[in-house]
Amino acid sequence: MKVQPQFPQKNQVWISTAEVMAMLSFGRTKLNELVKTNQFPQPIRLTSNFIRWDLAEVNEWIEQQKANRGTIQ
């Protein structure tokens, strides 16, 4: 059986870890902590050193944080 490669959808945008950190004003340690505890979208690992994030998932997470303002978690 031949496996067909899967490509990102045309409207899907992937961003780097540096771009995620800049968007959120988080350092790498805080970002990794949130990922490890499943409190932030998981990265897309293309290789061990080439990691990208789905911009739509990051933006969705930001919107969830806005919606939860004022609530104790």
Side-chain angles (χ1 to χ4, degrees), residues 30-40 42:
K30 180 63 176 177
L31 181 60
N32 287 341
E33 175 187 313
L34 291 173
V35 169
K36 186 176 180 180
T37 59
N38 291 316
Q39 296 179 46
F40 192 76
Q42 298 298 303

Side-chain angles (χ1 to χ4, degrees), residues 18-65:
E19 291 170 311
V20 173
M21 292 188 308
M23 282 179 69
L24 302 174
S25 298
F26 284 172
R28 190 175 303 271
T29 301
K30 180 63 176 177
L31 181 60
N32 287 341
E33 175 187 313
L34 291 173
V35 169
K36 186 176 180 180
T37 59
N38 291 316
Q39 296 179 46
F40 192 76
Q42 298 298 303
I44 301 161
R45 291 188 180 274
L46 301 172
T47 69
S48 61
N49 293 334
F50 193 82
I51 300 169
R52 292 294 179 258
W53 305 80
D54 185 328
L55 180 58
E57 291 178 359
V58 173
N59 284 331
E60 183 179 324
W61 181 86
I62 292 169
E63 291 304 315
Q64 288 173 352
Q65 301 315 299

